[in-house]
Structure formats: C-alpha cells, structure tokens
C-alpha cells in the first residue's frame, strides 16, 4: 500500500496523525493502537485509534428503586396504581401471531416495558450490597469484546498474504467506508451493527492456504501493558492445538456446544441407511480384536444421527453463500474394551449410503464428476480412521460442521421458544410484585435481542417507523443467509420447528446419565457431570419467594401470578408451561425453571467460531471417496474461504462469549436490585457463594481434563439471553 493510499485512508476516516492529541486519541485505550505491537508500522494502530466503539459490553443506566413490594391481595396502599398500570401494560405488551409463522412474538418492542428491560439497570447507587464477583458491570470505560479490533488484528497478522490479493487497497477502503458510515451519525437508538458485509468486502474470497490462515483469533503483543485484559476476551478453544485428534469429535458429543444438544444416543440396532460392518469396525485402530455386535450388546456403541435435519440440508440454498453445503451425517462412536474414553470410529457424511447395484455405481461416478447439485438424496460412503488420512479429516469436518449448525439452531430456537414469556410477564406482573425484582434481570434483553436477531437489521427500536420487517434478514438470520449452507428461510424454519420440540419441564430437568447403563460407562461427560446448578437455583428462589408467600393460599390468591401463568400457556403457547400454581412448592419449581431456561439453558460454546472444525458450511459439493489419495489442499478446500471464515468467526463472537468471566453472569444482579428489601441479601450471599464454589470445583476438574469445558461454569453463563 503506497504512502498516498495511506494518506487517502487517513483522510477517509478522519484518523489522527501520530502526533495528534485529538479526542479520538485521548479517548482510546484500544489495545492494538500502540506502534510497538507492529514494530513501528502504525497504520493499523491509527485505524484502531479512530475506530468505532463497537463491542459487547452493553449499557448500564440508573433507575429508581422498586416500590415496596407485596402480593396483590395484601396491597391496600397502591392497589389502584398497580391495577391501572396493568391496564396500560396490556395495551403496550401484545402477543403477535402474524410476524413469524409458527411463533409468538412481542408485537410492540417500542413500549416502555421492553425498552426498560433491554439494558442492565442499577437502582439507587453503585454502593449497594450486591456482590460483584470482582467485576464492575458499570465500568464506563468497558465496551466489551471489540469486534472491529479483531478484524484489524487478523488483517495485520496476514497482511503480506492479503495485500497480494487483487484490488486489496480498494477493498480495504470499502471496508472502512461501510463501517464508519454505519456509526457516523452516533444514533445508537438504531440498530446499525453491520459487520458481515465489511469483512466479506475486505478479505479475499479465496480458500485459505494454511491452517494458520484459518486461525482468526487475534495475536496481540505480549509486552503491551493491557495484554492480559485484552487477550482474555479472545479465548481460544481449549482444543485449538489438538483439532486433528480423533478423540476430539467424541469429546464434543459429551461436551456439547449447547445445553439442549442431546443428539448422541446408544447404538442398539443396525441401521439400514448406515451399513456399518464388523470388518470396517475391526479395521479401526484400537478395535482390531473387538466385535461390532458384542460391543453393541455391551452398550459400548453410540450413534450421532442428524436425520432430523435432512430436509434442511437438501433445501434450496441462496446463491450468495460462497458454495457452502451442510450434510445430515451419521457418526458412530465406541468405547474400547477396558476403556471409558469415547472414540470416533466411523462417519457417513449423508443419510444415504451408496448401494450395490449397477445404477448405484453409475450414480456414484457421476456424483464424483459433477457433484451432488440439487440431489435430495446425496449418497456417501462410510469413512473410518483406517481410510485415507485426508478423507477422514474431511469426513470429520462434515460431521462437526453439522454439529455446529445444529447448535446454532438450538440456540436461536430457545430464544423463539422463550420469547412469549416476557410478553405475558409484563402484561400481568407490575413493579409492586415481588417477582419483578427477582426475574427482571433474567428476562433482560430477550425481546429486543429476538427482534434484532430475527427481524431486519436497521429496523428501529424506537420512533414512529415500522418496528418489524423481514424475519429472514435479522442480524443472525441475515448472516446465515450469507455465510452458511442454509438459506435464511431454511434456518428460520428450522429454529421454529426445533422450538416446537421443547417442553418447559423436560428440557429444564437435568439429565442423570448414570441412570442409563450405556452412558454410565463413559468416563467423563461434562455436559451432564458438571450440571449441578438447578438445586442451587432452587434454594435461592425458594428462600426469596418465601419472604412473600407464607402459605399455599397466598399462591392461589395471587391473581397477577395466576394470570401470568395462564397467558404464557394459552396466549404465548409455550409448550409444557403450567397454566396455574397451587402451592409454594409448585411456584418455586416454576420460577426456578424460568431462571434455568434464561441462563443455564442459554449457554453457547465457541465451536461455531472454530473455523478449523466448526464452520457453518462444508465447502465440497462432491462425495468423499474413502480410498482416494487426498492431500491437505483438499482438506483446506472444504474449509471456508478466508473472507467467509473471518465473517463467521467475528460474527459468532457476539453469541459465544461473555466479555469476561462473571460479567453479567448467573448470580449477578445490578447494584440496588434488592434495595427495597434488605432481607434478600443474606439469601443472595448464600446463592452467590454456592455459585462461586461450584465454579471453582469445575475449574479444578477442568485442570485435570484433556480439554476444559466451560458451558456449565456459572462464571461463563449469562444471567439472561442478553447476548
């Protein structure tokens, strides 16, 4: 890039010169803005100094404390006020059945109830008694994970390779023009985070030439004084150095990317569409002396079958998704004799095996020449570790890519499933009700995040404009359209379909794998073994509610509570949600499950960010031939192109990481949340202490594991679906 082009770049973004004392320089404590990280080449530092403050951290505002809380049947002082407030609440908060087919959404995100619930709000001062786990959620200088920072860091790390790409100078200017124009008016009441197109514009649309180019995690200068603070916000996957390990795929099944991801099942019968043979099984290293049927009889075989996604994977794709596909694959896992470590033994990338007839052979030959195209029954062969090394690596990518997409579908579908709960809640529970102080924080941002993620980017959250637009062009759904093997229509339909499979009680009842003889044989199953949160949540909720409900009659006579439960079930159509509570015990159970759904069941690991395995698209239209002499180049070709990989990586950070441990995590409440009732604080202290102890226990356990698993750690679980 010439000096003239650098000057043009500076002029375009109004960047300060190295000697400038401008406000942009003064306000910036941005990490990679110091020349020492680039050995004197400060262009990227200059860009960061003038960069837009786009990041995850959220806003914290002060509001008045809650009024004196009481049940409606005992409110003699403010009953008229709370009844009038509920009349208005029912006008403001409405169930809408038409915006997204098959889902119930909030029909008025501009109302005060929704607007007041979208930010972290402290009540009455920052000196209040809530323990903050040594993390200040009100830090004005903390803007969270800086997505733009990571983009520039990757550009700097691979500058030589990227700069050789065609028209790179113009592409980089296009990036800055798009990014800066999106925030130039400083109108932060408008959703204007456009991150995908700038990245796709900037980086070359070519396949990566090495594993290093697939590593989109920023590399910062370790000597920088803020290194520790910055690098911890870009945590690498614990398996980053071991992604080739065959054991990793099996571990991902026991350390699932979402809490509701339970696709692994015991393999108890042979499958017609998965013709695994004993010969194939015995060729797998470690199973030479084993027997397939004996392993099945002993409960040592497990199957991962994505048949539920078959229709989505063969549905019409969009034309601008850079060639990505997804395959509804099948994978077989096994425990060797005298071992409790799950091994990956076979993968069939699609649901349809190749047959033995003459015409099957002709079809296989044509598919290898021309690709699958629009074939709704794409054939494939079973691949094992005993086959060509790179064929096996490609097969693993095919199954982990589907694992990643299934997790994304799971995650967003919980948003859609839970969406009606705050509608019914705001309609029926006034500020004077004790549930408000307990549940407001757990419902924070659910409505606005559903609106932003599913509905059109750029649609205002306030003002007179149309509130809802195209549900297939939201921040998430629009990105899926560009970056994955699904169209946005396919993706949204998949989330709505998956949402209909949830049950309020079933998916919030922790699974005890030790009740199943097959699962009990697996040595470590962190998804289930680490999930000890429900009893802790239940103790906290029980203590809190008994401050206000002194008998079962108090529960049955609480008309506001009963209306909330009834509307959630019948108007919100939340499957499995109870339409009434008749005892304190029932109420504690219901409220505990609401907290569990909004926090524990909202977790999401970083697999979708791991482009070596977790990309949302598999970039190969042809079958994998187990014996073909593939090369690493062939494997790199199934990974996403550089610009798409970057887009997927940086975009997925919005959904997978807290800015740091204990930042608005489970157990955190804004300062002053319970100022109205000091009796809450001893209970809160116990709750937070138990969470801290569990978190420490899981950290100790992770230290002895091959790969750490943080999805069940309280410190990394969001207190609500705010991200």
């Amino acid at each position: 890039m010439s000096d003239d082009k650098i000057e043009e770049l500076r002029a375009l973004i109004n960047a300060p010169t190295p000697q400038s004392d401008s406000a942009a320089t003064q306000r910036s404590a941005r990490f990679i803005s110091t020349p020492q990280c680039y050995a004197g080449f400060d262009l990227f530092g200059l860009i960061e100094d003038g960069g837009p403050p786009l990041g995850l951290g959220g806003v914290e505002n002060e509001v008045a404390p809650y009024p004196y809380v009481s049940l409606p049947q005992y409110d003699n002082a403010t009953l008229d006020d709370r009844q009038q407030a509920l009349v208005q609440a029912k006008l403001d908060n409405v169930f809408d059945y038409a915006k997204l087919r098959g889902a119930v959404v909030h029909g008025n995100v501009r109302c005060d109830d929704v607007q007041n619930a979208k930010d972290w709000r402290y009540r009455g001062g920052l000196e209040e008694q809530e323990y903050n786990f040594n993390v200040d959620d009100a830090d004005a200088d903390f803007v969270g994970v800086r997505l733009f920072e990571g983009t520039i860091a990757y550009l700097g790390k691979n500058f030589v390779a990227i700069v050789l790409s065609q028209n790179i100078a113009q592409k980089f200017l296009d990036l800055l023009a798009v990014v800066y124009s999106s925030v130039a008016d400083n109108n932060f009441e408008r959703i204007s985070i456009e991150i995908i197109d700038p990245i796709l514009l900037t980086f070359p649309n070519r396949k990566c030439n090495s594993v290093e180019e697939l590593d989109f995690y920023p590399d910062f200068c370790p000597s920088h004084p803020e290194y520790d603070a910055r690098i911890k916000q870009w945590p690498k996957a614990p398996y980053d150095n071991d992604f080739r390990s065959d054991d990793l795929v099996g571990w991902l099944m026991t350390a699932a990317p979402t809490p509701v991801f339970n696709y692994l099942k015991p393999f108890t019968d042979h499958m017609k569409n998965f013709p695994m043979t004993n010969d194939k099984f015995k060729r797998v290293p470690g199973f030479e002396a084993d027997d397939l049927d004996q392993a099945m009889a002993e409960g040592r075989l497990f199957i991962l079958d994505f048949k539920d996604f078959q229709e989505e994977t063969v549905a019409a794709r969009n034309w601008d998704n850079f060639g990505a596909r997804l395959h509804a694959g099948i994978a077989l896992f096994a425990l060797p004799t005298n071992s409790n470590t799950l091994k990956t033994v076979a993968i069939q990338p699609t649901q349809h095996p190749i047959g033995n007839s003459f015409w099957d052979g002709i079809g296989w030959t044509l598919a290898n020449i021309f690709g699958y195209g629009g074939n709704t029954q794409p054939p494939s062969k079973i691949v094992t570790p005993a086959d060509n090394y790179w064929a096996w690596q490609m097969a693993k990518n095919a199954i982990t890519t589907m694992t990643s997409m299934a997790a994304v579908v799971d995650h967003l579908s919980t948003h859609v499933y839970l969406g009606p709960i705050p509608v019914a809640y705001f309609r029926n529970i006034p500020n004077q009700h004790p549930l408000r102080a307990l549940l407001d924080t757990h419902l924070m941002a659910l409505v606005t995040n559903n609106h932003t993620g599913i509905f059109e980017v750029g649609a205002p959250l306030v003002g007179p404009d149309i509130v809802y637009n195209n549900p297939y062009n939201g921040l998430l759904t629009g990105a899926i359209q560009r970056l994955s093997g699904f169209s946005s229509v396919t993706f949204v339909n998949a989330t709505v379909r998956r949402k209909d499979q949830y049950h309020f009680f079933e998916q919030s009842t922790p699974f005890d794998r030790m009740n199943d003889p097959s699962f009990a044989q697996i040595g470590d199953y962190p998804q289930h073994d680490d999930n000890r949160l429900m009893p802790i949540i239940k103790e906290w909720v029980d203590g809190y509610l008994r401050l206000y409900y002194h008998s079962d009659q108090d529960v049955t006579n609480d008309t506001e509570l009963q209306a909330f439960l009834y509307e959630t079930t019948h108007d919100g159509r939340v499957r499995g949600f109870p339409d009434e509570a008749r005892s304190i015990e029932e109420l504690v159970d219901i409220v505990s499950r609401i907290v569990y759904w909004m926090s524990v069941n909202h977790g999401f690991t970083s697999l979708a960010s791991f482009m070596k395995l977790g990309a949302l698209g598999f970039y190969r239209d042809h079958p994998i031939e187990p014996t073909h002499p593939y090369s690493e180049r062939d494997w790199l070709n199934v990974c996403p192109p550089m610009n798409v990989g970057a887009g997927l990586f940086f975009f997925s950070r919005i959904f997978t990481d807290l800015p740091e441990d204990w930042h608005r995590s489970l157990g955190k409440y804004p300062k002053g949340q319970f100022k109205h009732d000091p009796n809450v604080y001893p209970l809160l202290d116990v709750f937070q202490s138990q969470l801290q102890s569990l978190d420490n226990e899981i950290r100790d356990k992770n230290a002895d594991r091959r790969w750490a698993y943080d999805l069940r750690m309280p410190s990394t679980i969001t207190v609500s679906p705010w991200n």
Side-chain angles (χ1 to χ4, degrees), residues 194-205:
E194 297 284 358
I195 185 173
I196 298 302
D197 286 340
I199 291 174
L200 295 177
L201 280 170
T202 301
F203 299 119
N205 179 27

Side-chain angles (χ1 to χ4, degrees), residues 109-111 115 118 187 189-190 459-467:
V109 298
R110 293 174 295 179
C111 71
Q115 291 302 300
K118 68 183 175 69
N187 182 5
E189 293 295 337
R190 195 171 177 85
L461 294 176
V462 296
D465 299 53
I466 297 174
V467 175

Side-chain angles (χ1 to χ4, degrees), residues 94-113:
V94 293
F95 297 99
D96 196 307
Y97 307 95
K99 297 296 189 299
L100 179 60
R101 184 177 181 181
V104 180
V105 304
H106 196 297
N108 180 19
V109 298
R110 293 174 295 179
C111 71
D112 289 343
D113 287 319

Side-chain angles (χ1 to χ4, degrees), residues 406-597:
V408 174
V409 170
D410 281 356
H411 183 77
L412 188 65
S413 62
T414 62
H415 276 255
V416 178
Y417 173 75
L418 299 170
I421 295 178
V423 185
Y425 174 79
F426 291 130
R427 283 171 57 85
N428 294 286
I429 306 296
N431 278 331
Q432 295 90 341
H433 197 284
L435 280 180
R436 287 301 295 260
L438 177 64
L439 290 181
D440 274 4
T441 304
H442 293 291
L443 297 174
M444 187 185 79
L446 176 57
V447 172
T448 51
N449 282 351
N450 284 3
H451 172 268
T452 305
I454 301 172
F455 296 94
E456 187 171 11
V457 176
L461 294 176
V462 296
D465 299 53
I466 297 174
V467 175
Y468 286 116
N469 288 281
N470 179 4
Y472 305 110
N473 193 33
L475 184 63
L476 179 57
T477 58
I480 291 294
Q481 174 87 358
R482 301 297 306 278
L483 301 176
S484 85
F486 282 171
S487 71
S488 59
V489 173
T490 299
F491 176 68
V492 172
N493 291 344
T495 61
V496 173
R497 177 184 58 78
R498 176 68 168 150
K499 177 267 299 183
D500 291 336
Q501 298 176 16
Y502 295 137
H503 186 281
F504 182 74
F505 286 98
E506 291 175 4
Q507 270 70 47
S508 59
T509 300
F511 172 66
D512 184 359
R513 71 179 181 93
M514 302 309 290
N515 290 331
D516 188 308
S518 295
F519 284 131
Q521 295 184 81
I522 300 175
D524 188 25
Y525 206 132
Q527 179 188 14
H528 300 310
D529 296 351
D530 294 357
N531 190 17
R532 294 161 47 202
L533 283 162
M534 181 56 94
I536 297 174
I537 293 172
K538 212 162 192 176
E539 181 179 337
W540 155 241
V541 171
D542 182 86
Y544 178 89
L545 291 179
R546 289 183 188 275
L547 292 175
Y548 310 102
Y549 294 92
H550 301 138
S551 68
D552 292 343
Q553 196 65 37
D554 281 346
V555 176
T556 58
N557 291 345
D558 185 345
T559 55
E560 294 167 348
L561 166 70
Q562 300 297 339
F564 161 53
L565 300 178
Y566 184 89
E567 285 196 6
T568 300
T569 303
H570 296 280
D571 297 324
R573 304 174 184 176
V574 177
R575 183 170 178 260
F577 198 90
D579 60 4
E580 64 176 3
R582 294 301 174 190
S583 68
I584 296 178
E585 184 178 354
E586 285 184 10
L587 179 59
V588 168
D589 188 51
I590 294 167
V591 174
S592 298
R593 292 177 189 274
I594 292 175
V595 174
Y596 188 91
W597 266 106

Side-chain angles (χ1 to χ4, degrees), residues 199-493:
I199 291 174
L200 295 177
L201 280 170
T202 301
F203 299 119
N205 179 27
R206 64 160 174 80
K207 294 299 175 67
C208 292
N209 293 322
S210 65
V211 172
E212 288 70 28
E213 286 189 352
L214 282 169
D215 182 3
F216 296 96
Y217 292 93
D219 288 340
F220 298 127
C221 179
S223 63
H224 192 282
E226 294 182 28
Y227 176 80
D228 290 338
R230 301 303 306 122
I231 200 65
K232 72 180 180 181
Q233 295 187 6
W234 298 93
K236 287 195 174 186
Y239 41 80
D240 185 73
N241 293 326
D242 299 316
F243 76 97
R244 295 273 189 225
S245 170
D246 291 349
D247 292 347
L248 178 57
V249 184
W251 181 83
L252 287 170
M253 299 304 106
T254 65
T258 70
V260 291
F261 189 98
N262 281 296
Y263 297 97
L264 187 71
K265 307 294 181 184
F267 186 59
T268 56
D269 293 295
H270 290 285
M271 298 166 55
K272 185 177 180 180
N273 68 326
F274 182 68
M276 184 65 180
T277 64
N278 192 46
D279 179 63
K280 286 188 177 72
F281 183 62
K282 293 171 75 70
R283 288 175 57 224
V284 176
F287 295 90
E288 296 89 346
D290 211 332
D291 179 82
L292 184 67
D293 288 331
Q294 181 179 349
M296 183 186 297
E298 293 173 354
R300 293 189 286 111
L301 298 183
F302 301 86
I303 195 77
L304 173 71
D305 188 354
F306 284 117
K307 61 183 178 182
D308 196 37
F309 289 90
Q310 165 66 12
E311 290 189 12
E312 282 98 355
T313 58
V314 298
R317 292 173 292 149
N318 44 292
W319 290 102
D320 60 349
N321 73 347
F322 303 92
R325 291 194 72 108
L326 286 159
H327 296 300
I330 304 171
L332 183 67
F333 304 89
L335 294 171
T337 55
N338 302 318
S339 174
N340 59 13
T341 300
L342 202 62
K343 301 291 184 179
T344 314
V345 297
I347 294 171
Q348 182 177 287
T350 71
Q351 286 288 309
H352 302 281
I354 184 70
N356 297 319
S357 71
F358 170 80
W359 293 111
D360 289 328
I362 293 295
W364 181 255
T365 301
L366 292 175
N368 274 278
I369 296 173
F370 299 107
Y372 289 133
N375 190 344
T376 59
Q377 296 184 342
S380 60
K381 293 183 178 180
I382 291 176
V383 189
T384 77
D387 293 316
N388 174 266
Y389 176 81
W390 292 109
W392 177 238
Q393 301 310 311
M394 288 192 285
K396 288 195 298 183
N397 272 64
I399 205 73
T400 54
T401 291
M402 192 64 241
T403 299
S404 183
M405 176 56 90
V408 174
V409 170
D410 281 356
H411 183 77
L412 188 65
S413 62
T414 62
H415 276 255
V416 178
Y417 173 75
L418 299 170
I421 295 178
V423 185
Y425 174 79
F426 291 130
R427 283 171 57 85
N428 294 286
I429 306 296
N431 278 331
Q432 295 90 341
H433 197 284
L435 280 180
R436 287 301 295 260
L438 177 64
L439 290 181
D440 274 4
T441 304
H442 293 291
L443 297 174
M444 187 185 79
L446 176 57
V447 172
T448 51
N449 282 351
N450 284 3
H451 172 268
T452 305
I454 301 172
F455 296 94
E456 187 171 11
V457 176
L461 294 176
V462 296
D465 299 53
I466 297 174
V467 175
Y468 286 116
N469 288 281
N470 179 4
Y472 305 110
N473 193 33
L475 184 63
L476 179 57
T477 58
I480 291 294
Q481 174 87 358
R482 301 297 306 278
L483 301 176
S484 85
F486 282 171
S487 71
S488 59
V489 173
T490 299
F491 176 68
V492 172
N493 291 344

